[in-house]
Amino acid sequence: MKNGPLKMLTFFRSPRCLSFLLEKQTAINHLKEIHAQLIIDGLKSPRIFAKLIERYCAVSSPQGTNYAHLIPTQFHDQNVYLLNVLIRCTPPRSAILVFANWVSRAELNFDDSTYIFVLGACARSSPVSALWEGKQIHARIVKHGFLSNVFIQTTTIHFYARNKDVGSARKVFDEMDMRNIVACNAMMSGYCSQKERVKEYAYDALLLFRDVLVDVYGVEATDTTVLCVLSAASQLGVLETGVCVHGFVEKTICLPENDVFLGTGLVDMYSKCGCLDSAFCVFNRMKVKNVLTWTAMTTGLAIHGKGKEALELLDAMKANGVKPNAVTFTSLFSACCHAGLVEEGLHLFHSMESKFGVIPMIQHYGCIVDLLGRAGHLKEAYEFIVGIKFKRDLVLWRSLLNACKVHEDVVMGEKVGKLLLQAQHMQDIAGLAGSGEDYIALSNVYASAERWEDVEMVREVMKIKGIEFNPGGSSVYSLSSHL
Protein backbone atom coordinates (compact mmCIF):
# COMPACT_ATOMS: atom_id res chain seq x y z
CA MET A 1 0.00 0.00 0.00
CA LYS A 2 3.09 2.19 0.32
CA ASN A 3 3.01 3.38 -3.29
CA GLY A 4 -0.71 2.92 -3.81
CA PRO A 5 -1.57 6.59 -4.49
CA LEU A 6 1.40 7.00 -6.84
CA LYS A 7 0.42 3.92 -8.84
CA MET A 8 -3.11 5.26 -9.22
CA LEU A 9 -1.75 8.65 -10.30
CA THR A 10 0.09 6.89 -13.13
CA PHE A 11 -3.21 5.76 -14.65
CA PHE A 12 -5.69 8.44 -13.53
CA ARG A 13 -4.54 12.02 -14.10
CA SER A 14 -7.76 13.78 -15.04
CA PRO A 15 -8.94 16.43 -12.53
CA ARG A 16 -12.06 14.42 -11.73
CA CYS A 17 -10.11 11.24 -10.98
CA LEU A 18 -7.52 13.11 -8.96
CA SER A 19 -10.24 14.80 -6.94
CA PHE A 20 -11.82 11.40 -6.25
CA LEU A 21 -8.44 9.96 -5.26
CA LEU A 22 -7.78 12.81 -2.81
CA GLU A 23 -11.23 12.39 -1.25
CA LYS A 24 -10.31 8.85 -0.21
CA GLN A 25 -6.98 9.72 1.44
CA THR A 26 -6.75 10.17 5.20
CA ALA A 27 -3.05 9.46 5.83
CA ILE A 28 -0.65 12.39 5.79
CA ASN A 29 2.04 10.34 4.02
CA HIS A 30 -0.27 9.50 1.12
CA LEU A 31 -1.29 13.13 0.77
CA LYS A 32 2.38 14.15 0.66
CA GLU A 33 3.04 11.56 -2.06
CA ILE A 34 0.20 12.92 -4.18
CA HIS A 35 1.34 16.49 -3.53
CA ALA A 36 4.89 15.69 -4.64
CA GLN A 37 3.72 13.95 -7.80
CA LEU A 38 1.49 16.90 -8.71
CA ILE A 39 4.47 19.23 -8.44
CA ILE A 40 6.67 16.89 -10.52
CA ASP A 41 4.02 16.66 -13.24
CA GLY A 42 3.64 20.43 -13.27
CA LEU A 43 -0.13 20.20 -12.75
CA LYS A 44 -1.51 23.65 -11.87
CA SER A 45 -5.21 22.92 -11.42
CA PRO A 46 -6.52 25.17 -8.58
CA ARG A 47 -9.43 22.79 -8.11
CA ILE A 48 -7.12 19.85 -7.33
CA PHE A 49 -4.92 21.87 -5.01
CA ALA A 50 -8.00 23.24 -3.26
CA LYS A 51 -9.06 19.66 -2.58
CA LEU A 52 -5.54 18.92 -1.33
CA ILE A 53 -5.77 21.86 1.11
CA GLU A 54 -9.08 20.50 2.41
CA ARG A 55 -7.60 17.04 2.94
CA TYR A 56 -4.47 18.42 4.66
CA CYS A 57 -6.62 20.45 7.04
CA ALA A 58 -8.89 17.47 7.71
CA VAL A 59 -5.92 15.45 8.97
CA SER A 60 -5.80 17.72 12.06
CA SER A 61 -2.06 17.60 12.53
CA PRO A 62 0.49 20.44 12.57
CA GLN A 63 2.33 18.84 9.68
CA GLY A 64 -0.80 18.74 7.52
CA THR A 65 -1.62 22.36 8.36
CA ASN A 66 1.92 23.46 7.44
CA TYR A 67 1.72 21.78 4.04
CA ALA A 68 -1.72 23.30 3.43
CA HIS A 69 -0.28 26.78 4.14
CA LEU A 70 2.44 26.25 1.53
CA ILE A 71 0.09 25.51 -1.37
CA PRO A 72 -1.16 29.08 -2.11
CA THR A 73 2.48 30.27 -2.38
CA GLN A 74 3.02 27.90 -5.34
CA PHE A 75 0.58 29.87 -7.52
CA HIS A 76 0.62 33.39 -8.90
CA ASP A 77 -2.59 34.12 -10.81
CA GLN A 78 -5.21 32.02 -9.01
CA ASN A 79 -3.83 31.94 -5.45
CA VAL A 80 -6.63 34.12 -4.00
CA TYR A 81 -9.00 31.22 -4.62
CA LEU A 82 -6.67 28.82 -2.81
CA LEU A 83 -6.16 31.33 0.00
CA ASN A 84 -9.93 31.48 0.47
CA VAL A 85 -10.08 27.69 0.72
CA LEU A 86 -7.27 27.75 3.28
CA ILE A 87 -9.02 30.41 5.40
CA ARG A 88 -12.28 28.49 5.23
CA CYS A 89 -10.78 25.14 6.25
CA THR A 90 -8.41 26.16 9.06
CA PRO A 91 -9.41 26.87 12.70
CA PRO A 92 -10.54 30.46 13.42
CA ARG A 93 -7.34 31.76 15.03
CA SER A 94 -5.19 30.20 12.34
CA ALA A 95 -7.43 31.62 9.60
CA ILE A 96 -7.07 35.16 10.99
CA LEU A 97 -3.28 34.79 11.14
CA VAL A 98 -3.17 33.47 7.56
CA PHE A 99 -5.12 36.52 6.37
CA ALA A 100 -2.89 38.90 8.35
CA ASN A 101 0.21 37.27 6.85
CA TRP A 102 -1.03 37.76 3.30
CA VAL A 103 -2.06 41.34 4.04
CA SER A 104 1.53 42.08 5.08
CA ARG A 105 2.84 40.62 1.82
CA ALA A 106 0.61 42.87 -0.32
CA GLU A 107 0.97 40.35 -3.16
CA LEU A 108 -2.66 39.93 -4.23
CA ASN A 109 -6.05 41.54 -4.21
CA PHE A 110 -8.60 39.85 -1.97
CA ASP A 111 -12.12 39.20 -3.18
CA ASP A 112 -15.55 39.08 -1.53
CA SER A 113 -15.15 35.48 -0.38
CA THR A 114 -11.89 36.30 1.42
CA TYR A 115 -13.59 38.86 3.63
CA ILE A 116 -16.64 36.67 4.22
CA PHE A 117 -14.48 33.75 5.40
CA VAL A 118 -12.11 35.79 7.58
CA LEU A 119 -14.97 37.73 9.22
CA GLY A 120 -16.66 34.40 9.86
CA ALA A 121 -13.44 33.25 11.54
CA CYS A 122 -13.48 36.38 13.73
CA ALA A 123 -17.08 35.59 14.69
CA ARG A 124 -16.08 32.09 15.83
CA SER A 125 -12.86 33.15 17.54
CA SER A 126 -12.26 34.29 21.12
CA PRO A 127 -14.00 37.64 21.79
CA VAL A 128 -10.94 38.95 23.66
CA SER A 129 -8.93 39.77 20.54
CA ALA A 130 -11.31 38.94 17.69
CA LEU A 131 -13.33 42.17 18.07
CA TRP A 132 -10.28 44.37 17.49
CA GLU A 133 -9.09 42.21 14.58
CA GLY A 134 -12.55 42.13 13.01
CA LYS A 135 -12.79 45.92 13.21
CA GLN A 136 -9.52 46.21 11.28
CA ILE A 137 -10.89 43.86 8.62
CA HIS A 138 -14.13 45.86 8.53
CA ALA A 139 -12.06 49.00 7.93
CA ARG A 140 -10.29 47.30 4.98
CA ILE A 141 -13.65 46.25 3.57
CA VAL A 142 -14.86 49.86 3.62
CA LYS A 143 -11.56 51.19 2.27
CA HIS A 144 -11.48 48.80 -0.70
CA GLY A 145 -15.17 49.19 -1.59
CA PHE A 146 -16.53 45.74 -0.67
CA LEU A 147 -19.19 46.88 1.81
CA SER A 148 -21.93 47.00 -0.85
CA ASN A 149 -21.89 43.19 -0.98
CA VAL A 150 -24.93 42.03 1.02
CA PHE A 151 -23.21 38.80 2.06
CA ILE A 152 -20.26 40.71 3.51
CA GLN A 153 -22.63 43.07 5.30
CA THR A 154 -24.58 40.17 6.77
CA THR A 155 -21.38 38.45 7.90
CA THR A 156 -20.26 41.73 9.49
CA ILE A 157 -23.53 41.94 11.43
CA HIS A 158 -23.04 38.35 12.59
CA PHE A 159 -19.43 39.08 13.61
CA TYR A 160 -20.29 42.13 15.71
CA ALA A 161 -23.24 40.41 17.39
CA ARG A 162 -21.16 37.35 18.28
CA ASN A 163 -18.56 39.65 19.85
CA LYS A 164 -21.21 41.46 21.94
CA ASP A 165 -20.98 44.73 20.00
CA VAL A 166 -24.68 44.91 19.14
CA GLY A 167 -24.53 48.66 18.54
CA SER A 168 -22.03 48.27 15.68
CA ALA A 169 -24.04 45.37 14.26
CA ARG A 170 -27.18 47.53 14.17
CA LYS A 171 -25.22 50.40 12.60
CA VAL A 172 -24.11 48.12 9.74
CA PHE A 173 -27.69 46.87 9.39
CA ASP A 174 -29.16 50.39 9.24
CA GLU A 175 -26.60 51.49 6.63
CA MET A 176 -27.45 48.65 4.21
CA ASP A 177 -28.97 49.89 0.94
CA MET A 178 -30.87 46.64 0.47
CA ARG A 179 -31.74 44.23 3.26
CA ASN A 180 -32.68 40.62 2.66
CA ILE A 181 -34.27 38.27 5.18
CA VAL A 182 -30.88 36.72 5.96
CA ALA A 183 -29.61 40.09 7.20
CA CYS A 184 -32.79 40.61 9.25
CA ASN A 185 -32.40 37.15 10.75
CA ALA A 186 -28.74 37.80 11.57
CA MET A 187 -29.68 41.00 13.39
CA MET A 188 -32.54 39.37 15.31
CA SER A 189 -30.39 36.38 16.19
CA GLY A 190 -27.70 38.77 17.39
CA TYR A 191 -30.19 40.49 19.68
CA CYS A 192 -31.44 37.20 21.13
CA SER A 193 -27.98 35.71 21.72
CA GLN A 194 -26.79 38.40 24.14
CA LYS A 195 -26.19 37.48 27.77
CA GLU A 196 -26.36 41.06 29.06
CA ARG A 197 -29.27 43.50 28.83
CA VAL A 198 -31.35 40.52 27.73
CA LYS A 199 -34.77 42.15 28.09
CA GLU A 200 -33.76 45.26 26.17
CA TYR A 201 -32.31 43.34 23.24
CA ALA A 202 -35.22 40.90 23.15
CA TYR A 203 -37.54 43.88 22.89
CA ASP A 204 -35.44 45.24 19.99
CA ALA A 205 -35.72 41.86 18.26
CA LEU A 206 -39.53 42.01 18.50
CA LEU A 207 -39.55 45.55 17.08
CA LEU A 208 -37.42 44.37 14.17
CA PHE A 209 -39.80 41.47 13.58
CA ARG A 210 -42.71 43.92 13.55
CA ASP A 211 -40.94 45.91 10.81
CA VAL A 212 -40.51 42.71 8.80
CA LEU A 213 -44.23 41.95 9.15
CA VAL A 214 -45.37 45.41 8.05
CA ASP A 215 -43.11 45.22 5.01
CA VAL A 216 -40.74 48.01 6.08
CA TYR A 217 -37.79 46.08 4.62
CA GLY A 218 -39.65 44.38 1.79
CA VAL A 219 -38.85 40.83 2.91
CA GLU A 220 -40.91 37.88 4.09
CA ALA A 221 -40.34 36.07 7.37
CA THR A 222 -38.91 32.56 7.29
CA ASP A 223 -38.77 29.76 9.83
CA THR A 224 -35.43 31.17 11.06
CA THR A 225 -37.11 34.54 11.64
CA VAL A 226 -39.83 32.88 13.66
CA LEU A 227 -37.33 30.96 15.79
CA CYS A 228 -35.59 34.25 16.64
CA VAL A 229 -38.81 36.00 17.62
CA LEU A 230 -39.98 33.01 19.67
CA SER A 231 -36.69 33.22 21.56
CA ALA A 232 -37.31 36.93 22.17
CA ALA A 233 -40.84 36.26 23.40
CA SER A 234 -39.46 33.57 25.73
CA GLN A 235 -36.88 35.93 27.19
CA LEU A 236 -39.50 38.62 27.78
CA GLY A 237 -42.16 36.19 29.00
CA VAL A 238 -44.74 37.83 26.72
CA LEU A 239 -47.31 35.08 26.16
CA GLU A 240 -49.60 37.24 23.99
CA THR A 241 -46.82 37.86 21.49
CA GLY A 242 -45.87 34.18 21.45
CA VAL A 243 -49.46 33.14 20.76
CA CYS A 244 -49.68 35.61 17.88
CA VAL A 245 -46.44 34.24 16.42
CA HIS A 246 -47.85 30.71 16.76
CA GLY A 247 -50.88 31.76 14.73
CA PHE A 248 -48.65 33.45 12.16
CA VAL A 249 -46.64 30.22 11.78
CA GLU A 250 -49.71 28.06 11.18
CA LYS A 251 -51.19 30.51 8.65
CA THR A 252 -48.12 31.41 6.62
CA ILE A 253 -45.29 28.89 7.09
CA CYS A 254 -46.32 25.39 8.14
CA LEU A 255 -47.96 23.36 10.86
CA PRO A 256 -45.54 23.27 13.80
CA GLU A 257 -46.05 19.55 14.31
CA ASN A 258 -44.46 18.98 10.89
CA ASP A 259 -41.32 21.04 11.65
CA VAL A 260 -39.20 19.82 14.55
CA PHE A 261 -37.41 23.15 15.01
CA LEU A 262 -40.50 25.36 14.98
CA GLY A 263 -42.28 22.89 17.23
CA THR A 264 -39.36 22.91 19.67
CA GLY A 265 -39.30 26.71 19.64
CA LEU A 266 -43.00 26.83 20.52
CA VAL A 267 -42.56 24.28 23.33
CA ASP A 268 -39.77 26.42 24.77
CA MET A 269 -41.76 29.65 24.41
CA TYR A 270 -44.95 28.34 26.03
CA SER A 271 -42.97 26.77 28.88
CA LYS A 272 -41.04 29.92 29.69
CA CYS A 273 -44.13 32.09 29.36
CA GLY A 274 -45.89 30.04 32.06
CA CYS A 275 -48.30 28.10 29.85
CA LEU A 276 -47.20 24.50 30.42
CA ASP A 277 -50.44 22.98 29.10
CA SER A 278 -49.97 24.65 25.71
CA ALA A 279 -46.35 23.48 25.66
CA PHE A 280 -47.48 19.90 26.25
CA CYS A 281 -50.16 20.28 23.57
CA VAL A 282 -47.58 21.29 20.94
CA PHE A 283 -45.16 18.63 22.21
CA ASN A 284 -47.70 15.80 21.96
CA ARG A 285 -48.82 16.87 18.48
CA MET A 286 -45.29 16.86 17.04
CA LYS A 287 -44.70 13.98 14.66
CA VAL A 288 -40.91 14.07 15.02
CA LYS A 289 -39.05 15.03 18.19
CA ASN A 290 -35.29 15.34 18.57
CA VAL A 291 -33.19 15.67 21.72
CA LEU A 292 -33.71 19.45 21.70
CA THR A 293 -37.48 18.98 21.79
CA TRP A 294 -37.36 16.60 24.74
CA THR A 295 -34.89 18.87 26.53
CA ALA A 296 -37.12 21.93 25.99
CA MET A 297 -40.06 20.07 27.50
CA THR A 298 -37.90 18.86 30.40
CA THR A 299 -36.73 22.43 31.01
CA GLY A 300 -40.34 23.60 31.07
CA LEU A 301 -41.21 21.03 33.71
CA ALA A 302 -38.14 22.05 35.72
CA ILE A 303 -39.14 25.72 35.62
CA HIS A 304 -42.55 24.84 37.02
CA GLY A 305 -41.14 22.64 39.79
CA LYS A 306 -42.49 19.37 38.36
CA GLY A 307 -39.52 17.16 39.16
CA LYS A 308 -41.26 13.77 39.10
CA GLU A 309 -42.88 14.53 35.74
CA ALA A 310 -39.46 15.52 34.36
CA LEU A 311 -37.96 12.20 35.45
CA GLU A 312 -40.92 10.37 33.88
CA LEU A 313 -40.22 12.25 30.67
CA LEU A 314 -36.66 10.90 30.73
CA ASP A 315 -38.07 7.35 30.75
CA ALA A 316 -40.37 8.22 27.83
CA MET A 317 -37.44 9.76 26.01
CA LYS A 318 -35.44 6.55 26.38
CA ALA A 319 -38.44 4.48 25.26
CA ASN A 320 -38.64 6.57 22.08
CA GLY A 321 -34.99 5.88 21.25
CA VAL A 322 -33.73 9.43 21.90
CA LYS A 323 -30.49 9.73 23.85
CA PRO A 324 -30.33 12.62 26.37
CA ASN A 325 -27.40 15.02 26.18
CA ALA A 326 -25.57 17.15 28.76
CA VAL A 327 -28.17 19.93 28.58
CA THR A 328 -30.97 17.45 29.19
CA PHE A 329 -29.32 16.36 32.44
CA THR A 330 -28.82 19.97 33.51
CA SER A 331 -32.58 20.48 33.14
CA LEU A 332 -33.32 17.23 35.00
CA PHE A 333 -31.10 18.18 37.92
CA SER A 334 -32.73 21.59 38.00
CA ALA A 335 -36.14 19.90 38.16
CA CYS A 336 -34.98 17.71 41.05
CA CYS A 337 -33.55 20.77 42.78
CA HIS A 338 -36.76 22.79 42.57
CA ALA A 339 -38.87 19.84 43.67
CA GLY A 340 -36.52 18.80 46.51
CA LEU A 341 -35.90 15.34 45.03
CA VAL A 342 -32.50 14.79 46.62
CA GLU A 343 -32.28 10.99 46.40
CA GLU A 344 -33.58 10.94 42.85
CA GLY A 345 -31.13 13.62 41.76
CA LEU A 346 -28.15 11.85 43.33
CA HIS A 347 -29.16 8.53 41.80
CA LEU A 348 -29.48 10.19 38.38
CA PHE A 349 -26.07 11.83 38.74
CA HIS A 350 -24.31 8.58 39.62
CA SER A 351 -25.98 6.70 36.74
CA MET A 352 -25.79 9.29 33.96
CA GLU A 353 -22.47 8.02 32.61
CA SER A 354 -23.00 4.28 33.12
CA LYS A 355 -26.61 4.21 31.98
CA PHE A 356 -26.78 7.00 29.39
CA GLY A 357 -23.15 7.50 28.35
CA VAL A 358 -23.05 11.20 29.33
CA ILE A 359 -19.94 12.27 31.27
CA PRO A 360 -20.75 14.69 34.11
CA MET A 361 -19.50 18.23 33.49
CA ILE A 362 -18.88 21.12 35.87
CA GLN A 363 -22.44 22.42 35.49
CA HIS A 364 -23.79 19.04 36.60
CA TYR A 365 -21.61 19.12 39.70
CA GLY A 366 -22.93 22.61 40.36
CA CYS A 367 -26.50 21.35 40.13
CA ILE A 368 -25.82 18.64 42.71
CA VAL A 369 -24.22 21.14 45.10
CA ASP A 370 -27.27 23.35 44.68
CA LEU A 371 -29.57 20.35 45.20
CA LEU A 372 -27.85 19.35 48.45
CA GLY A 373 -27.50 22.94 49.63
CA ARG A 374 -31.15 23.81 49.14
CA ALA A 375 -32.17 20.70 51.05
CA GLY A 376 -29.92 21.68 53.95
CA HIS A 377 -27.43 18.83 53.46
CA LEU A 378 -24.48 21.19 53.81
CA LYS A 379 -21.97 18.63 55.11
CA GLU A 380 -22.78 16.28 52.22
CA ALA A 381 -22.41 19.16 49.75
CA TYR A 382 -19.01 20.05 51.24
CA GLU A 383 -17.80 16.45 51.00
CA PHE A 384 -19.16 16.23 47.46
CA ILE A 385 -17.09 19.25 46.36
CA VAL A 386 -13.96 17.99 48.11
CA GLY A 387 -14.36 14.62 46.37
CA ILE A 388 -14.33 16.12 42.88
CA LYS A 389 -11.25 14.76 41.08
CA PHE A 390 -10.64 17.61 38.64
CA LYS A 391 -10.02 21.28 39.47
CA ARG A 392 -12.87 22.62 41.56
CA ASP A 393 -14.66 25.72 40.29
CA LEU A 394 -15.11 28.57 42.78
CA VAL A 395 -18.76 28.74 41.73
CA LEU A 396 -19.35 25.46 43.58
CA TRP A 397 -18.02 26.92 46.82
CA ARG A 398 -20.05 30.08 46.32
CA SER A 399 -23.20 28.05 45.85
CA LEU A 400 -22.50 26.22 49.11
CA LEU A 401 -21.74 29.50 50.90
CA ASN A 402 -25.09 30.89 49.80
CA ALA A 403 -26.80 27.75 51.12
CA CYS A 404 -25.01 28.24 54.44
CA LYS A 405 -26.50 31.74 54.66
CA VAL A 406 -29.99 30.48 53.85
CA HIS A 407 -29.80 27.73 56.50
CA GLU A 408 -27.90 29.98 58.96
CA ASP A 409 -25.02 27.53 59.35
CA VAL A 410 -22.32 29.98 60.41
CA VAL A 411 -19.68 27.34 61.17
CA MET A 412 -19.81 25.82 57.69
CA GLY A 413 -20.25 29.24 56.11
CA GLU A 414 -17.14 30.58 57.80
CA LYS A 415 -15.18 27.52 56.70
CA VAL A 416 -16.26 27.87 53.06
CA GLY A 417 -15.90 31.64 53.12
CA LYS A 418 -12.29 31.44 54.23
CA LEU A 419 -11.56 28.98 51.41
CA LEU A 420 -12.94 31.49 48.94
CA LEU A 421 -10.98 34.39 50.43
CA GLN A 422 -7.83 32.28 50.23
CA ALA A 423 -8.54 31.70 46.53
CA GLN A 424 -9.08 35.45 46.14
CA HIS A 425 -5.69 36.07 47.75
CA MET A 426 -4.02 33.68 45.28
CA GLN A 427 -5.68 35.57 42.41
CA ASP A 428 -4.33 38.84 43.81
CA ILE A 429 -0.82 37.39 43.88
CA ALA A 430 -1.22 36.19 40.28
CA GLY A 431 -2.30 39.69 39.24
CA LEU A 432 -5.85 38.63 38.36
CA ALA A 433 -8.68 41.03 39.05
CA GLY A 434 -10.86 39.85 41.91
CA SER A 435 -14.34 40.91 42.97
CA GLY A 436 -15.97 41.65 46.27
CA GLU A 437 -18.74 39.06 46.02
CA ASP A 438 -16.99 36.51 48.27
CA TYR A 439 -16.32 39.12 50.95
CA ILE A 440 -19.94 40.28 50.79
CA ALA A 441 -21.23 36.70 50.97
CA LEU A 442 -19.13 35.92 54.07
CA SER A 443 -20.21 39.23 55.60
CA ASN A 444 -23.86 38.27 55.05
CA VAL A 445 -23.31 34.91 56.74
CA TYR A 446 -21.91 36.70 59.79
CA ALA A 447 -24.77 39.21 59.70
CA SER A 448 -27.39 36.45 59.67
CA ALA A 449 -25.89 35.23 62.96
CA GLU A 450 -25.64 38.80 64.28
CA ARG A 451 -21.84 38.55 64.56
CA TRP A 452 -21.40 42.26 63.88
CA GLU A 453 -17.76 42.42 64.90
CA ASP A 454 -16.91 39.85 62.23
CA VAL A 455 -19.01 41.78 59.71
CA GLU A 456 -17.01 44.91 60.49
CA MET A 457 -13.76 42.97 60.20
CA VAL A 458 -14.65 41.72 56.69
CA ARG A 459 -15.70 45.22 55.58
CA GLU A 460 -12.44 46.65 56.92
CA VAL A 461 -10.42 44.14 54.89
CA MET A 462 -12.36 45.19 51.79
CA LYS A 463 -11.49 48.84 52.45
CA ILE A 464 -7.80 48.02 52.90
CA LYS A 465 -7.72 46.02 49.66
CA GLY A 466 -9.68 48.71 47.82
CA ILE A 467 -12.41 46.26 46.83
CA GLU A 468 -15.62 47.89 45.71
CA PHE A 469 -18.94 46.16 45.24
CA ASN A 470 -21.51 47.56 42.86
CA PRO A 471 -25.07 47.16 44.11
CA GLY A 472 -27.50 45.27 41.89
CA GLY A 473 -30.33 46.88 39.99
CA SER A 474 -33.29 45.93 37.88
CA SER A 475 -35.14 47.39 34.94
CA VAL A 476 -38.64 46.88 33.60
CA TYR A 477 -39.38 46.85 29.88
CA SER A 478 -42.89 46.86 28.52
CA LEU A 479 -44.15 46.35 25.01
CA SER A 480 -46.08 49.33 23.73
CA SER A 481 -48.17 47.02 21.58
CA HIS A 482 -48.33 43.27 21.15
CA LEU A 483 -47.73 41.68 17.77
Side-chain angles (χ1 to χ4, degrees):
M1 187 65 186
K2 182 178 180 181
N3 296 318
L6 290 179
K7 288 183 178 179
M8 294 186 70
L9 275 173
T10 305
F11 298 101
F12 305 106
R13 298 201 175 181
S14 70
R16 180 176 296 181
C17 292
L18 289 172
S19 180
F20 175 79
L21 177 61
L22 281 170
E23 192 68 45
K24 299 298 180 181
Q25 299 305 317
T26 57
I28 184 70
N29 290 336
H30 290 168
L31 292 173
K32 288 165 61 179
E33 289 177 4
I34 296 174
H35 190 179
Q37 192 64 44
L38 292 174
I39 294 173
I40 292 171
D41 292 346
L43 186 62
K44 293 289 184 178
S45 169
R47 177 183 170 187
I48 298 302
F49 278 93
K51 179 65 68 174
L52 185 59
I53 289 174
E54 292 177 354
R55 298 313 303 159
Y56 271 138
C57 292
V59 172
S60 299
S61 73
Q63 189 180 22
T65 303
N66 291 337
Y67 279 108
H69 286 196
L70 290 174
I71 292 176
T73 63
Q74 300 171 7
F75 287 75
H76 297 288
D77 298 330
Q78 304 98 339
N79 58 7
V80 68
Y81 164 67
L82 295 176
L83 176 65
N84 293 343
V85 175
L86 180 61
I87 293 174
R88 175 174 57 84
C89 294
T90 51
R93 290 305 313 163
S94 178
I96 296 170
L97 293 175
V98 167
F99 176 79
N101 183 42
W102 280 87
V103 167
S104 64
R105 295 184 184 186
E107 293 179 358
L108 76 163
N109 295 319
F110 304 119
D111 60 13
D112 296 14
S113 297
T114 312
Y115 290 112
I116 291 172
F117 291 144
V118 74
L119 271 178
C122 289
R124 300 189 306 274
S125 187
S126 169
V128 176
S129 59
L131 180 59
W132 182 86
E133 292 162 339
K135 284 183 176 181
Q136 308 310 306
I137 296 168
H138 186 191
R140 284 187 61 89
I141 290 171
V142 175
K143 179 180 178 181
H144 294 283
F146 284 94
L147 198 58
S148 60
N149 185 308
V150 67
F151 298 106
I152 291 179
Q153 291 170 321
T154 302
T155 307
T156 306
I157 292 169
H158 175 64
F159 151 70
Y160 277 121
R162 283 291 299 269
N163 283 276
K164 303 179 183 180
D165 190 351
V166 184
S168 295
R170 184 61 195 236
K171 188 173 185 293
V172 173
F173 180 80
D174 289 337
E175 291 175 351
M176 294 177 69
D177 294 328
M178 293 185 61
R179 301 175 187 87
N180 58 18
I181 191 58
V182 179
C184 293
N185 291 344
M187 193 66 248
M188 277 191 282
S189 176
Y191 279 136
C192 296
S193 64
Q194 302 306 307
K195 302 301 182 183
E196 299 177 355
R197 298 164 61 188
V198 175
K199 301 289 185 183
E200 178 183 346
Y201 288 135
Y203 178 69
D204 289 337
L206 290 183
L207 292 180
L208 183 55
F209 178 63
R210 182 195 63 184
D211 291 341
V212 169
L213 286 184
V214 299
D215 206 27
V216 171
Y217 300 121
V219 297
E220 293 185 1
T222 64
D223 52 351
T224 303
T225 318
V226 171
L227 288 173
C228 290
V229 77
L230 284 175
S231 175
S234 300
Q235 292 171 3
L236 287 168
V238 186
L239 180 60
E240 296 87 344
T241 299
V243 171
C244 291
V245 174
H246 187 177
F248 172 79
V249 170
E250 296 212 359
K251 289 180 180 179
T252 62
I253 298 180
C254 69
L255 293 175
E257 55 264 32
N258 295 330
D259 189 303
V260 66
F261 298 105
L262 287 176
T264 302
L266 285 169
V267 169
D268 181 67
M269 182 275 297
Y270 278 122
S271 297
K272 292 179 179 177
C273 288
C275 197
L276 197 57
D277 290 339
S278 295
F280 257 119
C281 181
V282 175
F283 179 81
N284 291 328
R285 284 168 51 192
M286 290 178 65
K287 297 177 180 177
V288 177
K289 305 180 186 75
N290 61 16
V291 65
L292 300 178
T293 314
W294 289 90
T295 301
M297 195 66 252
T298 304
T299 303
L301 291 168
I303 292 172
H304 291 79
K306 297 184 178 296
K308 291 185 178 179
E309 291 85 345
L311 293 175
E312 291 173 357
L313 199 65
L314 176 63
D315 295 332
M317 186 178 183
K318 184 178 179 182
N320 281 270
V322 180
K323 181 182 177 181
N325 60 18
V327 181
T328 312
F329 278 99
T330 301
S331 297
L332 288 167
F333 292 136
S334 176
C336 293
C337 187
H338 289 298
L341 303 176
V342 178
E343 295 299 326
E344 292 85 345
L346 290 173
H347 175 73
L348 185 63
F349 177 83
H350 293 301
S351 65
M352 62 184 291
E353 183 174 2
S354 59
K355 188 175 180 180
F356 298 96
V358 179
I359 299 174
M361 301 170 68
I362 188 63
Q363 63 264 31
H364 301 129
Y365 286 91
C367 288
I368 297 302
V369 172
D370 192 30
L371 173 66
L372 293 169
R374 286 186 183 225
H377 302 311
L378 304 181
K379 182 180 178 182
E380 291 85 344
Y382 178 86
E383 293 173 350
F384 179 80
I385 298 174
V386 172
I388 296 175
K389 296 179 180 179
F390 53 85
K391 184 178 179 181
R392 291 182 284 276
D393 196 305
L394 294 182
V395 174
L396 302 180
W397 291 118
R398 288 169 184 151
S399 177
L400 178 55
L401 183 59
N402 182 65
C404 292
K405 176 181 176 294
V406 171
H407 294 282
E408 299 182 351
D409 190 333
V410 184
V411 176
M412 179 65 76
E414 187 174 29
K415 185 177 182 180
V416 174
K418 288 181 177 179
L419 285 171
L420 285 167
L421 295 188
Q422 185 179 3
Q424 281 271 22
H425 179 66
M426 296 303 294
Q427 287 183 343
D428 293 340
I429 294 175
L432 300 175
S435 65
E437 60 180 313
D438 296 330
Y439 291 91
I440 294 295
L442 180 57
S443 174
N444 290 338
V445 171
Y446 286 139
S448 66
E450 298 184 356
R451 290 171 54 174
W452 304 115
E453 291 182 1
D454 292 322
V455 171
E456 185 63 27
M457 179 267 296
V458 173
R459 299 283 177 163
E460 191 63 31
V461 172
M462 291 180 66
K463 289 180 182 179
I464 294 172
K465 290 181 173 289
I467 297 174
E468 296 181 356
F469 188 79
N470 297 322
S474 61
S475 301
V476 177
Y477 293 91
S478 60
L479 293 177
S480 57
S481 61
H482 297 302
L483 298 177

